[in-house]
Amino acid sequence: VLPRIGPSRFLALYLTCGVSAALAHTIYHERIIPEMARREHQKKSTLARIFTLPIDTSRPWYLLGASGSISGILVACAILEPANWIFVGGFIAYDIYQLQHSRSNVSHSGHLGGSISG
């Protein structure tokens, strides 16, 4: 990507994808997770609600690394070289799946946010 768009545009793309990843991560943890936890708790029977607590959404969340920026660079690479869409599409599909089914410490929402900016 760097040889095709030049260093200054590459830096702008990299930083934009990083900011977009941070915003997506923040929105996901501030808005979407608490709403999902509330809905999941309401689905339980009254007896189950008495003996279980909702998901703790008050725990702190952190964002560290450059994976959101790298995700955006990968999408830019796929735009410039369409043969790479198979790999990038698989990466995006994996992040969407993990976002819905995983409770890991990986910021899949950040990856998707960076990908959107790419």
Side-chain angles (χ1 to χ4, degrees):
V1 175
L2 179 62
R4 301 266 305 260
I5 66 173
S8 59
R9 291 175 75 189
F10 182 85
L11 180 62
L13 174 66
Y14 183 84
L15 294 175
T16 300
C17 292
V19 169
S20 177
L23 287 173
H25 180 82
T26 302
I27 290 169
Y28 183 73
H29 282 274
E30 288 289 323
R31 301 280 186 213
I32 296 172
I33 287 181
E35 180 61 24
M36 287 171 39
R38 186 187 62 76
R39 287 182 184 174
E40 195 63 35
H41 190 66
Q42 286 179 341
K43 286 182 188 177
K44 295 178 181 178
S45 68
T46 305
L47 186 60
R49 277 191 241 161
I50 292 171
F51 292 106
T52 60
L53 296 173
I55 297 171
D56 181 17
T57 59
S58 64
R59 70 183 184 137
W61 45 268
Y62 304 98
L63 185 63
L64 175 68
S67 58
S69 293
I70 300 301
S71 298
I73 298 298
L74 286 174
V75 170
C77 180
I79 290 170
L80 295 173
E81 296 291 332
N84 294 328
W85 270 114
I86 294 170
F87 170 72
V88 175
F91 179 73
I92 291 171
Y94 172 78
D95 274 329
I96 291 171
Y97 176 81
Q98 289 297 324
L99 188 64
Q100 297 172 350
H101 296 94
S102 175
R103 295 277 184 224
S104 71
N105 290 330
V106 176
S107 177
H108 297 287
S109 57
H111 293 169
L112 293 171
S115 296
I116 290 169
S117 290

